[in-house]
Amino acid sequence: MTTSTPPLIRNVASGVPGLDAVLGGGFCEYSFNVVMGPPGAGKTTLAQQILFANATNERTALYFTGLGEPTVKMLRYQRQFDFFDASRVPSAVRFVNLSTEAAAGDLDVVLARIVAEMAEHQPAFVALDSFRTIGGQLAPGAEHGDLALAGFVQHLALQLTSWEVTSFLLGEYSEYEAPHPVFTVADSILWLSEEVDRNSAVRKLRAVKVRGRSPIPGLHTFRVSSAGIEVFPRIPDQQHDRAEWSGKRLRTGVSGLDEMMGGGIPEGDAVMLTGPAGSGKTTFASQFLAQGLCEGANCVVAVFEEYPEAYLARARSGLVDFAEMIAANRLAVVYLRPMTLSVDEMLVEVTSAVKRVNAKRVVIDSLSGFEIALAPTFRLDFRESLYRLVGALTATGVTVLMTAEVIDFPDVRFTSERVSFVADDLIVQRYIELDDHLEKIISVVKMRGSDHTADFRRYELTPSGAVVGEPLRGYHGISTGVPSRDERRLGPPNDVAGDS
């Protein structure tokens, strides 16, 4: 008995950033694909971007349109995108308007025109925009129209398959409409939509069906810009194994903090630093960056609450010049502040920056600003999204430091219960009232798989950076924010950190 190797289906890359990952590798050659969604969802732009990415003078593309408006009007707008190359029209991409045939009122006439064009030009790629519009024009009655359109699509699919072309049919369908027979014939189905939540609108894409591939399930954010469409996969491409724990400890750059953490931060950990406004979170984060840069580790910092120039000016360090590090491609600053931001966009930006500079340390300052920058629809899934973000970054052994603002005095919460679960290590800053004035204290609340001190320690923000002092002793009720002297303990309370 002999075994035969199954025939290889060649791949057709979409040319749309992020889409191939969602599809599980791209489109199958000679596949029959449906792109559906309401008007304005981006179907036309997506189809033309795919054609311009693949069509050549030897392997041409035909783009059929049944729109009532002239083809020249559609092209006037589409040529505004960077992917549109007017010099390749009509040599590589040919546009054919079917309005005249549609006016005859016979789907057979339309099909005959499509077959004639294909026979003449022998294309490798075909797109029909939109098959539902043509069917509606020719058969306006609901039941009769559906039957006529189903027959038209079946005949068209047979013709396209016999010609061995990779084809795309565009249709104005919503997710909630009854399935059309064309969906059964299709090899892949992409659904495009736009979700509106209060004053923000977010575009999403879903691979409903992809034959011969293992697509990423769920909804994926995409944007339409001057470059065209870019898709941000919900689950990033992670073609690598989880980095093994090295046992190495990373110095934080903050005097006294490494001692509290048992020698520093375990490499590859996700660290959360929480504290109220003005407690010095950015100062700690900048010292963590500076220490890494001094030791030869490249870094990335994502900021949300202010412009990069202002952030770097405020986060300056005496150890290194951040501007010089940026110029040397050793430090990358990612600035994302739109109110329609998605976690997947942020993840793409940060991971791209990490790869670009080969970063080993990443700072996210802050999670509070990050959550506010998200579109409202994404804030509901912030916990799940943050888990994916941190997991993708630490999977390669990158050490992540996140800052988060919490309401402090007289509240006794250490951190938000919504996000602290993503951290391997949790460092808490807070204010306490001591001897009639406010003091800053710090504590290491948890470190997974590592010893650490359980002390409360005062710290100061000096011109040269943050300095952590000795354990705060001789008081009880420190976690309440209003400690009192413990007369049962021997000796006076220790001095403030940094005092001589």
Side-chain angles (χ1 to χ4, degrees):
M1 180 177 180
T2 60
T3 59
S4 58
T5 303
L8 175 67
I9 298 179
R10 289 187 292 183
N11 186 65
V12 175
S14 67
V16 178
L19 180 56
D20 290 349
V22 170
L23 294 172
F27 294 100
C28 293
E29 189 178 32
Y30 308 143
S31 58
F32 183 71
N33 310 287
V34 173
V35 181
M36 64 177 183
K43 301 182 298 297
T44 297
T45 301
L46 180 68
Q48 292 195 18
Q49 189 169 344
I50 294 171
L51 295 191
F52 274 97
N54 288 279
T56 64
N57 290 347
E58 294 73 30
R59 292 173 54 81
T60 61
L62 286 178
Y63 193 95
F64 295 99
T65 175
L67 299 175
E69 62 183 6
T71 303
V72 66
K73 180 180 179 181
M74 178 186 67
L75 296 183
R76 185 182 302 129
Y77 290 99
Q78 288 298 310
R79 70 189 305 165
Q80 304 303 312
F81 292 108
D82 295 344
F83 66 78
F84 193 98
D85 186 355
S87 66
R88 299 169 59 197
V89 179
S91 58
V93 182
R94 182 179 181 85
F95 292 86
V96 180
N97 191 285
L98 300 174
S99 296
T100 301
E101 287 72 23
D106 190 343
L107 285 170
D108 291 336
V109 174
V110 176
L111 184 60
R113 173 69 188 281
I114 294 175
V115 171
E117 291 285 346
M118 292 174 58
E120 179 181 356
H121 300 286
Q122 300 289 316
F125 307 94
V126 171
L128 177 58
D129 184 3
S130 118
F131 73 90
R132 193 178 192 187
T133 300
I134 295 175
Q137 290 175 339
L138 300 183
E143 182 177 355
H144 176 67
D146 287 343
L147 291 175
L149 183 58
F152 169 75
V153 170
Q154 289 174 351
H155 282 89
L156 178 60
L158 180 62
Q159 291 290 340
L160 294 173
T161 302
S162 65
W163 284 100
E164 292 191 336
V165 299
T166 305
S167 56
F168 302 88
L169 269 66
L170 284 58
E172 288 74 26
Y173 284 90
S174 71
E175 183 186 22
Y176 306 103
E177 290 189 76
H180 192 276
V182 69
F183 299 160
T184 303
V185 180
D187 296 310
S188 70
I189 301 173
L190 298 182
W191 174 67
L192 279 59
S193 64
E194 184 176 59
E195 295 186 8
V196 179
D197 191 336
R198 292 189 288 180
N199 63 342
S200 72
V202 177
R203 297 179 184 268
K204 294 188 177 183
L205 175 147
R206 182 163 70 96
V208 179
K209 170 185 179 183
V210 184
R211 281 180 179 152
R213 294 285 187 266
S214 179
I216 301 177
L219 293 169
H220 310 273
T221 307
F222 74 94
R223 279 193 181 276
V224 181
S225 67
S226 60
I229 287 178
E230 181 176 3
V231 181
F232 304 96
R234 187 179 65 87
I235 303 174
D237 183 21
Q238 296 186 37
Q239 300 298 323
H240 46 67
D241 297 325
R242 170 78 186 189
E244 295 184 3
W245 186 64
S246 65
K248 181 181 178 181
R249 296 274 181 162
L250 303 183
R251 293 195 292 174
T252 63
V254 178
S255 176
L257 182 57
D258 293 346
E259 177 189 345
M260 297 182 68
M261 303 187 74
I265 300 172
E267 187 176 36
D269 272 12
V271 185
M272 184 174 294
L273 173 64
T274 72
S279 60
K281 296 183 295 298
T282 296
T283 300
F284 277 67
S286 63
Q287 288 177 242
F288 174 73
L289 291 173
Q291 184 66 41
L293 292 167
C294 285
E295 296 177 358
N298 294 351
C299 303
V300 170
V301 55
V303 297
F304 299 93
E305 298 177 8
E306 54 189 335
Y307 293 108
E309 298 79 9
Y311 179 86
L312 292 176
R314 186 166 62 88
R316 60 183 180 275
S317 169
L319 295 176
V320 295
D321 187 321
F322 286 147
E324 290 183 359
M325 292 293 102
I326 293 174
N329 202 37
R330 295 199 53 214
L331 173 64
V333 181
V334 177
Y335 172 70
L336 297 167
R337 204 177 181 180
M339 298 302 289
T340 57
L341 178 69
S342 73
V343 174
D344 302 306
E345 289 176 82
M346 190 267 198
L347 179 55
V348 167
E349 292 288 339
V350 172
T351 53
S352 297
V354 168
K355 293 177 182 178
R356 185 173 69 253
V357 303
N358 191 26
K360 298 301 180 184
R361 297 189 182 199
V362 171
V363 165
I364 301 175
D365 192 5
S366 68
L367 292 181
S368 308
F370 175 32
E371 185 173 11
I372 292 174
L374 291 174
T377 185
F378 295 113
R379 295 176 195 167
L380 298 176
D381 301 320
F382 183 63
R383 281 165 51 91
E384 181 262 345
S385 299
L386 183 62
Y387 178 80
R388 289 190 288 112
L389 171 64
V390 172
L393 292 174
T394 58
T396 55
V398 172
T399 305
V400 181
L401 174 65
M402 303 166 284
T403 69
E405 184 170 324
V406 294
I407 299 174
D408 191 40
F409 191 82
D411 197 346
V412 297
R413 289 183 303 165
F414 285 150
T415 184
S416 170
E417 69 282 356
R418 297 181 59 230
V419 297
S420 58
F421 74 100
V422 303
D424 299 304
D425 314 319
L426 178 59
I427 306 170
V428 174
Q429 299 171 334
R430 68 167 308 171
Y431 295 120
I432 62 172
E433 181 184 350
L434 194 65
D435 299 330
D436 298 326
H437 65 280
L438 289 179
E439 294 281 358
K440 300 182 183 72
I441 64 169
I442 189 169
S443 179
V444 178
V445 175
K446 78 167 182 178
M447 290 187 69
R448 286 181 178 148
S450 174
D451 292 332
H452 62 90
T453 68
D455 300 325
F456 289 102
R457 300 195 182 193
R458 295 190 235 192
Y459 67 94
E460 286 189 339
L461 303 178
T462 71
S464 59
V467 178
V468 176
E470 296 298 319
L472 184 64
R473 304 194 187 283
Y475 293 91
H476 64 81
I478 297 175
S479 62
T480 66
V482 189
S484 59
R485 286 286 307 274
D486 188 350
E487 301 297 342
R488 295 172 298 178
R489 296 191 179 187
L490 299 176
N494 59 293
D495 294 333
V496 176
D499 288 351
S500 57

